Every structure is written in C-alpha cells, then in structure tokens.
Amino acid sequence: MKETSISGKMQGGQILAKAMALKGVKQVFSLCGGFLNPIYDGCLECDVEVVGTRNEMEAGFMASAIARLKREPAVVLAEPSGFTNYISSVAEAFHSGDPVIFISVGSIFHRLDHMGFKEMPQHRVVESFTKYSVRVTSGDRIHEFFDKAYDIASNLPTGPVELSIPINFVFS
C-alpha cells in the first residue's frame, strides 16, 4: 500500500481508500466519474477493486446483494449528481438490514448552505432510513468518519449508513 503521493501528502480520496483497505474492504461499487478520481487513485494504491456500474442505483443494489451474501459491509461511491440515483437502494438496504456504506461526494465545505454547485444536504435526505448519516466536517478526519460508519453498519442490527464528503476534502 503506497503511503504518500508525489508531493509527500495524501489526498482525502487516498485517506478514504486507505481507511477502507484497513477495514478489509476489497471492492467498491460505483459509476465512475471525475469527482471520484482521488478515491479511485487511492483504491488502486490500496488494492481495492472498483466495480464500475451503469448507474448509481445499480451500484447500490449490487452492494446490497454482496453485503447480504457475505454479511459484511459493502461500499458504494457516488458523485454529487449521482447521489439521488442511489436513494432507492438505500431504502432497500434499510428494509433488508444490509450493511452498506453509501458514500457521496458533495458541495465544497465552506460554501455549504449558499446554493452552491450541486449542493444538497445529502446526509439529511436519507437519515430517516439509515442507521447513521453524517456530513464529514474535516478532511483529516475522513478515516475516523469511515471507521465509525463501518462499525455502525456492521453492528447488529445491521443496516446502511451514509457519509457525505465535501468535494474539497476529497481532492485536498
């Protein structure tokens, strides 16, 4: 597992990928897109397979199926505009008790509540049908938020969680 980038620092996406790898996550499901590139780069470095899907809803349902079969958390990644596409699969995971970690990239942190680019309170939209739903508040604490989400998803009764990570934390 590569520890640093060329500049000697890790991007938030790399921190997230490392946190996933340390918890034993072997694959993530996602419709690949540019807002997620630092996470994909981190997944490459940490040997976490990215399973590309045709849309985010498909990614969510595939993750639910894997979580149900393996009885361990599965991970879904979505860009800001893809978040709404996986909401049906969040509901399905909730009613089935599937331990799925839904991770969405959202608006820039310091511009929240200013009607910014693709801004939506993602964590609030799904909080009624997740065990835990939160917006990451600091880029250097991404691993803590992921660890907590993983533990909550896998503790009985199992169920889905939502992490909303501001885009500037993923790239910085």
Side-chain angles (χ1 to χ4, degrees):
M1 181 178 337
K2 185 178 169 184
E3 289 294 324
T4 59
S5 66
I6 294 171
S7 66
K9 297 180 180 181
M10 293 179 76
Q11 289 182 303
Q14 292 171 297
I15 292 170
L16 176 60
K18 185 175 181 181
M20 290 189 293
L22 289 172
K23 284 289 192 178
V25 173
K26 301 288 184 212
Q27 60 187 189
V28 297
F29 300 88
S30 178
L31 170 65
C32 297
F35 287 107
L36 303 172
N37 283 344
I39 302 171
Y40 298 144
D41 290 343
C43 286
L44 254 167
E45 295 168 1
C46 296
D47 295 322
V48 175
E49 177 188 13
V50 176
V51 178
T53 61
R54 293 178 291 181
N55 58 59
E56 295 84 357
M57 184 173 56
E58 185 177 89
F61 284 121
M62 289 175 72
S64 282
I66 292 296
R68 195 173 305 157
L69 289 170
K70 294 185 174 183
R71 298 316 304 161
E72 61 187 39
V75 176
V76 178
L77 302 172
E79 292 189 317
S81 57
F83 162 76
T84 56
N85 293 341
Y86 74 45
I87 291 176
S88 295
S89 58
V90 176
E92 175 66 21
F94 180 73
H95 292 294
S96 300
D98 297 331
V100 180
I101 302 167
F102 291 89
I103 301 173
S104 59
V105 173
S107 187
I108 295 171
F109 188 75
H110 64 276
R111 299 226 175 159
L112 294 172
D113 302 324
H114 289 96
M115 301 306 290
F117 178 66
K118 298 185 179 184
E119 182 179 326
M120 179 186 300
Q122 297 165 331
H123 64 293
R124 287 191 213 130
V125 171
V126 295
E127 70 185 350
S128 66
F129 48 101
T130 57
K131 288 181 68 180
Y132 175 67
S133 184
V134 67
R135 178 186 293 149
V136 174
T137 56
S138 174
D140 59 354
R141 294 185 57 216
I142 289 173
H143 66 283
E144 294 173 43
F145 280 94
F146 181 81
D147 285 350
K148 183 174 182 177
Y150 186 96
D151 292 344
I152 290 171
S154 56
N155 286 332
L156 295 175
T158 59
V161 299
E162 164 71 19
L163 284 182
S164 175
I165 305 175
I167 194 159
N168 55 312
F169 294 166
V170 172
F171 279 88
S172 62

